[in-house]
Amino acid sequence: MTLEIIKPGLATSVQDLGRPGYFHLGIPEGGAMDRLALRAANLLVGNDEGAAGLEAVFMGPEIKFGAEMSVAVTGADIPMMLDGDPRETWTSFTVKPGQVLSFGFLKAGARLYIAVSGGIATEPALGSRSTYPIGALGGFEGRAVAAGDAIPVGTGAVVAEGRSVPLALRRRPGTPAVLRVLTGLYWHRLTEKSQKAFFDDAWVVAPEADRMGYRFRGGTPMEFVDRPQPFGAGSDPSNIVDGCYSYGSIQVPGGLEPIVLHRDAVSGGGYFTLGAVISADMDLIGQLQPNTPVTFKRVKMDEALAARAARKTMLADIRQALA
Amino acid sequence: MSNIQSPLPGTFYHKPSPEEPVFKSPGDAVAIGDTIGLVEVMKTFIAVTSEVEGTFVKYMIDDAAPVTAGAVLAELA
């Protein structure tokens, strides 16, 4: 059983929940940028939550199905047609061999997750099917899908049509999107004025934002506390000697444009990181289009942990709704 | 009259590069598959091609301006 890619869209790739355990070797966890949306898509078609699906960004691919299977598309808000007939996102439907799924123009959000019953069955690499294109690792031949690819699909039972995630459980960023931040080890490098400005300023998503990092622009250039640069750090005050980067950490090269490191980011380097976006808000970043207004909100650890717990509750509610 | 819409969000450009002339000027013939502009997103430039034949009337979005998916980029007669 296969999915035939007629039109690939932009950087559409096979993604599951990622490959933890190799970040210390410089291999990122990878996996879906919006993990909750991928989990929901899999649950809709009766898969394990961690099965591999297709992640498409900003535009939909065109896909021909090689067999009867259940399909669900979650994440972004985008019109979708099966052989020209509209289908709803966040809802399961059945396709017959030879039918073609296509998409209209993206309305809201940024990434869509296409799950099929049985899951995408490419060969796992280091325990995951997620595509890491820079390392040519995982997914379909280690790259984004291309026109003419026949993507293998595993064996799964067809489920009922019309299984749907309740509206209240479809998480989307607001306008402006609010990203909650815990300040970190190098926060003291910024002057008080710049510390305040980072949280007060109106930022927008820069068009360069991708799976490695989301870049933001529009805020005030940052000022650093004077210090003699340590040996090996270089002359730019946004440099440190070297440090580990966590998932979600925020670096600001030259003090100009903050970059939130995401699923395919490097594990370390020589930029100071002012803090990190809390884990509960990382999925929201995956749904941000270029030029979306964004503000950063400072939180404490207890709020970050409460947000993580709330997100777990939401996932439990989705599981229950689709049980 | 027909419109050419942006396939995805990003930054719209009228020219292949800053030193080169615009892809299309008013009155130019447009064939199916002709590139009328570029949309830049995720460090990638995506060519916007026409799916219809016609005569180029004008760009509807400024050069180097942000666009959303579905935005009307150009008008053809």
Side-chain angles (χ1 to χ4, degrees):
Chain A
M1 284 201 293
T2 59
L3 304 178
E4 187 194 330
I5 306 297
I6 298 173
K7 289 183 187 168
L10 173 73
T12 302
S13 62
V14 176
Q15 298 294 342
D16 56 18
L17 293 175
R19 55 175 63 80
Y22 303 94
F23 205 37
H24 67 295
L25 302 175
I27 297 173
E29 272 199 41
M33 293 281 286
D34 182 347
R35 297 158 67 79
L36 197 64
L38 176 67
R39 286 176 190 274
N42 275 322
L43 287 168
L44 283 167
V45 297
N47 289 347
D48 286 344
E49 287 168 32
L54 289 175
E55 176 184 273
V57 57
F58 303 141
M59 62 192 294
E62 203 172 302
I63 300 170
K64 189 173 176 179
F65 299 95
E68 183 177 25
M69 58 187 96
S70 292
V71 178
V73 179
T74 61
D77 184 9
I78 191 165
M80 174 168 78
M81 283 77 61
L82 184 68
D83 280 353
D85 290 333
R87 289 289 182 277
E88 296 288 320
T89 52
W90 298 92
T91 306
S92 65
F93 57 96
T94 306
V95 299
K96 294 189 172 62
Q99 285 197 302
V100 174
L101 184 68
S102 61
F103 294 87
F105 293 115
L106 182 70
K107 287 202 256 179
R111 285 179 173 78
L112 32 146
Y113 293 88
I114 306 167
V116 294
S117 51
I120 303 277
T122 50
E123 202 57 40
L126 300 176
S128 163
R129 294 189 166 91
S130 287
T131 315
Y132 177 46
I134 294 170
L137 191 67
F140 189 85
E141 299 178 359
R143 57 168 172 80
V145 303
D149 286 350
I151 313 289
V153 174
T155 310
V158 169
V159 300
E161 287 201 276
R163 286 159 54 80
S164 189
V165 175
L167 270 174
L169 299 177
R170 304 177 189 180
R171 192 163 174 241
R172 287 272 173 67
T175 312
V178 179
L179 300 176
R180 290 168 287 187
V181 169
L182 274 174
T183 58
L185 274 181
Y186 305 100
W187 181 240
H188 68 278
R189 291 292 300 123
L190 294 176
T191 62
E192 262 180 53
K193 193 176 137 201
S194 285
Q195 289 179 343
K196 186 171 183 307
F198 175 69
F199 290 113
D200 289 347
D201 283 349
W203 300 90
V204 296
V205 177
E208 298 90 343
D210 62 15
R211 288 185 48 85
M212 282 174 279
Y214 253 67
R215 186 185 280 256
F216 300 88
R217 61 169 65 141
T220 318
M222 293 177 189
E223 291 165 6
F224 293 83
V225 174
D226 276 335
R227 70 167 180 179
Q229 281 293 87
F231 177 76
S235 57
D236 190 300
S238 70
N239 285 159
I240 56 171
V241 176
D242 255 355
C244 301
Y245 294 160
S246 71
Y247 168 56
S249 62
I250 306 165
Q251 55 179 238
V252 195
L256 296 173
E257 296 182 341
I259 301 170
V260 178
L261 298 187
H262 220 293
R263 303 302 307 179
D264 284 355
V266 295
S267 55
Y271 290 118
F272 94 112
T273 49
L274 60 78
V277 171
I278 67 171
S279 61
D281 287 354
M282 289 300 286
D283 283 352
L284 293 179
I285 294 179
Q287 294 299 348
L288 298 178
Q289 287 184 22
N291 307 306
T292 306
V294 169
T295 59
F296 295 99
K297 184 182 179 221
R298 188 174 189 173
V299 294
K300 301 285 188 206
M301 183 61 87
D302 57 343
E303 292 167 87
L305 293 173
R308 180 181 288 190
R311 196 178 162 285
K312 276 188 179 160
T313 304
M314 194 170 190
L315 177 57
D317 290 347
I318 293 174
R319 286 179 187 138
Q320 197 171 2
L322 298 175
Chain B
M1 296 287 266
S2 51
N3 293 327
I4 298 177
Q5 290 172 279
S6 182
L8 75 185
T11 309
F12 181 57
Y13 294 100
H14 296 185
K15 304 170 183 179
S17 73
E19 298 78 29
E20 289 178 81
V22 294
F23 282 103
K24 293 287 176 189
S25 301
D28 283 359
V30 177
I32 292 171
D34 277 6
T35 299
I36 64 104
L38 301 174
V39 175
E40 182 193 11
V41 73
M42 297 200 306
K43 302 168 192 160
T44 307
F45 290 90
I46 294 103
V48 180
T49 55
S50 181
E51 292 180 0
V52 294
E53 223 173 57
T55 304
F56 192 81
V57 177
K58 61 179 173 179
Y59 286 111
M60 303 294 284
I61 301 262
D62 287 343
D63 187 46
V67 291
T68 54
V72 175
L73 302 176
E75 192 183 295
L76 302 189

